[in-house]
Amino acid sequence: MFLGMMLTSYRIEKQNCLVLHLLSLPDILLPCACQVVLSLLLHGLLLRSMGEEEGLHQTPFLDTMFVRGLKRKCFDGEEDIEGTLAGIKAIPSYNLQRQSLLDMSLVKLQLCHMLVEPNLCRSVLIANTVRQIQEEMTQDGTWQMINTQSTGQASLDRLVSTDILCRSSRDQAEGKHVPAYGTFNKDFENDQAQDSSDTMSTASAVQAPRNLQSSVWEMENPQENKGNFQKSLDQIFETLENKSPNSVEDLFSEVDNSYYDLDTMLTGMMSNTKMGHCDSLETFSSSTNTASNSNCKSDLNDLDHIVEILVES
Amino acid sequence: MAVVARAAGDGGGSSSEVQWCFLQVKGAIDEDVAEADIISTVEFNYTGDLLATGDKGGRVVIFQREQETKSRPLSRGEYNVYSTFQSHEPEFDYLKSLEIEEKINKIRWLPQQNAAHFLLSTNDKTIKLWKISERDKRAEGYNLKDEDGRLREPFRVTELRVPTLKPMDLMVEASPRRTFANAHTYHINSISVNSDYATYLSADDLRINLWHLEVTNRSFNIVDIKPANMEELTEVITAAEFHPHHCNVFVYSSSKGTIRLCDMRSAALCDQHSKFFEEPEDPSSRSFFSEIISSISDVKFSHSGRYMMTRDYLSVKVWDINMENRPVETYQVHEYLRSKLCSLYENDCIFDKFECCWNGSDSTIMTGSYNNFFRTFERNMPRDTTLEASRESSKPRAILKPRKVCTTGKRKKDEITVDSLDFNKKILHTAWHPMENIIAVAATNNLYLFQEKVN
């Protein structure tokens, strides 16, 4: 029922169409389908578990969770929560809207990126929207607070990780395209091995430093990070220009060696496919197998009960 | 009731409103629409006697207007199928491992110069010149061939005869005369025949090429906005058209809501525009979607050549080509969607490319909307009408009732609320007869023809 609630909340959330499409797939495609839903569920689960840890009131609705996450990510540390809470409360909806727009845009760009024949006009318009949001966020210093805090690694991980979770869909997109990605993957493979049983915290721990490095919102190094972001967009366009699945694979080749629960699953699934087209989801299997099948299998084993629920529904 | 050939108040300064009535609908009635049957372009020829449609399956269907005959006076104005042919096939680009869609993006007719008709049709990569010719006679009485075409034995030929022409059932043949290929890296969005009737342009997302109709192995690049670094790409070409009278002038629109007019006499490469049309942005209505909704999906010169019309997501603007700083007229097509932009962005409807068209006298413009609605704007009044292309109002000569979208809370009878609009039923392609008030409206896989009501 816990997961059922998550599924419900995803049905309410606007990106539910993907979930519904996947759920109506034939059995043979279910493993791949499950991975997508799993990633989405994990996203929701992580958010939810966050809520539990903090002892906050749990609600089944994602948008509320987003608000919770939003509050957290704007804060330096726990001690600052009360101080800035009042300020944030004033305009939660605008930031929330902007954030969800950003997430949506990056997902769209990601899918554009993976389409066999990307529509250049659409990609350019979406990329411009993302740039615009980035500029505005940089200007109003929304992300300044995250970057200035530099407490211990543990607390940093925890705080930033929750931040990551709120923006995980965006980070999937960005993380892939950053060239420095590979080094971080290798660094944290050990961490993952140790925490393999606890998929949630692993994902969060792994993603946290990556996000720090690849965050485009960092005020300390705005130029560099703008460069990173620019680079990610650049690579999108270069790939669009090349329009070859091979170049997409090249971009993802650094990811292949690593094992990130949410990220790998999304990567493995999303490459070379169109959203919502069931027949093209057959390419899921092939691309998933090449990239991350071995990595995902243990994941599937661990989360078998989730699969059963999906199959039944 | 006899249908009068020429419509009264042919678009001119008549004060009475044009009333449209249903003429015909073409296409399957099934709820299940095959993707290949979706109409992707509609175009009348220069006389209006022929109407061509292209679909996603790469086929072109040409309709011909029935001539008025004494025996069938009522059928005057009806369009019936004249020719159907497969213009483009799906291709596979082996170098890039990409499929090239066979969808017909645009059809443009050439002015008729002999008995045959010529049109240009294009998909994403290749433009083809098709010749459509009639054959209603065949030769009989060959000396060396039998009637069924077999060669006769020479020694059996005992006498010589002159072959005679005998009438036969009308056969319309379409044959590809030229194929203009391999000139576009990006997807072709427009083609436009020049007023010199010898050249034409083709535009893709980043480049515009000039072709000669007789030469297929060479084209001249006249506009190139591809940046040296693709990373710096922020703007693409969305549409292009030649001026109807000045063979050296063309315009192209961009995804940033700007139009550039170029004169080919000034330079071989027209990267420098001669005129730059852009409306200053209204800072009060700025949002994250401002740029996307300002992206121009279609640009059309008026028949007179004095004005041009651009279509962006929410409005149609008429520009005087002598005034660059703002349009002379702006018409809101579906302003009620402005508050729904986020949802429309999410379901990708915000990227829909609507076309627009002028009537023969340039007094009225037409464009499509959602829920199978299309809008006409009479410029002189100004007066606008919303009509619907639906099977329900498809009775012969039934007058189309104007529709209204309810924007306030209280819905009146016969009004439709914004939330109940069907965003899958979009009218992207419309065409207006060059001289009469006959319009062709493409609604997914159906082609509706409406005619002005005559008394």
Side-chain angles (χ1 to χ4, degrees), chain A residues 135-146 219:
Chain A
E135 276 165 20
E136 191 180 289
M137 280 175 147
T138 312
Q139 271 167 21
D140 67 20
T142 313
W143 306 120
Q144 199 169 12
M145 291 179 260
I146 284 184
M219 288 300 288

Side-chain angles (χ1 to χ4, degrees), chain A residues 13 22 42 62 65 72 118 130-131 150 160-161 187-188 194 225 233 237 239 260 272 280 284 287 292 295 301 313:
Chain A
E13 179 62 17
L22 293 167
L42 281 170
L62 262 177
M65 286 181 205
R72 236 182 301 276
V130 171
R131 271 199 200 100
S150 54
V160 180
S161 70
D187 288 345
F188 293 100
Q194 288 156 15
N225 288 302
L233 282 179
F237 283 124
T239 311
Y260 291 96
N272 292 333
S280 65
F284 269 149
S287 56
S292 56
N295 298 327
N301 291 334
S313 60

Side-chain angles (χ1 to χ4, degrees), chain B residues 176-245:
Chain B
R177 306 304 286 180
R178 307 264 188 281
T179 301
F180 305 91
N182 303 321
H184 286 279
T185 311
Y186 303 96
H187 294 179
I188 298 175
N189 53 52
S190 315
I191 48 174
S192 177
V193 181
N194 204 346
S195 49
D196 63 7
Y197 303 151
T199 57
Y200 73 95
L201 64 75
S202 59
D204 66 25
D205 294 319
L206 297 177
R207 297 191 178 100
I208 301 180
N209 292 332
L210 181 71
W211 301 83
H212 193 282
L213 285 165
E214 299 294 328
V215 179
T216 59
N217 59 1
R218 195 171 44 190
S219 74
F220 293 99
N221 176 242
I222 51 177
V223 172
D224 188 342
I225 64 166
K226 184 180 173 188
N229 241 344
M230 275 298 269
E231 308 150 13
E232 292 157 11
L233 179 67
T234 56
E235 195 174 7
V236 299
I237 297 171
T238 52
E241 199 182 41
F242 265 119
H243 191 279
H245 308 308

Side-chain angles (χ1 to χ4, degrees), chain A residues 38-58:
Chain A
L38 283 173
S39 64
L40 292 171
L41 286 174
L42 281 170
H43 179 193
L45 283 169
L46 289 162
L47 286 174
R48 213 189 149 83
S49 67
M50 231 166 52
E52 285 170 7
E53 287 164 26
E54 295 295 321
L56 295 171
H57 175 65
Q58 297 167 25

Side-chain angles (χ1 to χ4, degrees), chain A residues 24-242:
Chain A
S24 63
L25 284 176
D27 291 338
I28 195 165
L29 292 171
L30 264 176
C32 315
C34 291
Q35 291 174 27
V36 176
V37 184
L38 283 173
S39 64
L40 292 171
L41 286 174
L42 281 170
H43 179 193
L45 283 169
L46 289 162
L47 286 174
R48 213 189 149 83
S49 67
M50 231 166 52
E52 285 170 7
E53 287 164 26
E54 295 295 321
L56 295 171
H57 175 65
Q58 297 167 25
T59 65
F61 299 107
L62 262 177
D63 50 354
T64 321
M65 286 181 205
F66 270 124
V67 172
R68 258 182 259 296
L70 178 68
K71 283 179 186 171
R72 236 182 301 276
K73 73 186 166 192
C74 294
F75 298 82
D76 293 343
E78 295 173 59
E79 62 273 14
D80 286 340
I81 287 179
E82 286 75 30
T84 42
L85 185 63
I88 282 297
K89 261 185 181 171
I91 44 159
S93 60
Y94 176 77
N95 282 346
L96 177 61
Q97 280 174 24
R98 185 171 62 182
Q99 187 54 54
S100 68
L101 181 63
L102 183 63
D103 292 342
M104 204 193 311
S105 304
L106 286 159
V107 170
K108 281 183 188 295
L109 263 183
Q110 189 61 38
L111 294 175
C112 275
H113 186 92
M114 292 173 252
L115 286 174
V116 177
E117 277 207 286
N119 182 333
L120 191 62
C121 182
R122 182 173 173 271
S123 309
V124 166
L125 288 172
I126 298 171
N128 289 349
T129 308
V130 171
R131 271 199 200 100
Q132 204 187 321
I133 297 175
Q134 174 213 357
E135 276 165 20
E136 191 180 289
M137 280 175 147
T138 312
Q139 271 167 21
D140 67 20
T142 313
W143 306 120
Q144 199 169 12
M145 291 179 260
I146 284 184
N147 306 319
T148 53
Q149 75 100 22
S150 54
T151 50
Q153 184 73 7
S155 59
L156 176 69
D157 282 350
R158 184 174 184 199
L159 284 167
V160 180
S161 70
T162 59
D163 161 30
I164 301 308
L165 301 170
C166 303
R167 300 180 286 142
S168 62
S169 63
R170 173 171 70 87
D171 291 326
Q172 311 314 322
E174 282 182 13
K176 284 187 202 64
H177 304 307
V178 173
Y181 190 96
T183 56
F184 284 106
N185 299 348
K186 294 179 182 58
D187 288 345
F188 293 100
E189 269 173 355
N190 291 336
D191 287 348
Q192 290 172 20
Q194 288 156 15
D195 294 341
S196 58
S197 56
D198 190 316
T199 18
M200 298 178 198
S201 57
T202 304
S204 53
V206 152
Q207 290 181 34
R210 178 161 56 83
N211 182 65
L212 269 185
Q213 290 298 319
S214 65
S215 168
V216 297
W217 315 120
E218 270 190 74
M219 288 300 288
E220 289 162 15
N221 301 306
Q223 289 310 311
E224 177 190 298
N225 288 302
K226 272 183 181 167
N228 282 343
F229 180 66
Q230 195 65 22
K231 257 203 150 103
S232 61
L233 282 179
D234 302 345
Q235 283 169 324
I236 290 173
F237 283 124
E238 278 172 19
T239 311
L240 286 177
E241 181 167 46
N242 297 335

Side-chain angles (χ1 to χ4, degrees), chain B residues 8-27:
Chain B
D10 192 0
S14 125
S15 55
S16 63
E17 191 174 347
V18 171
Q19 277 196 305
W20 294 99
C21 47
F22 173 79
L23 181 61
Q24 287 169 287
V25 60
K26 307 284 186 192

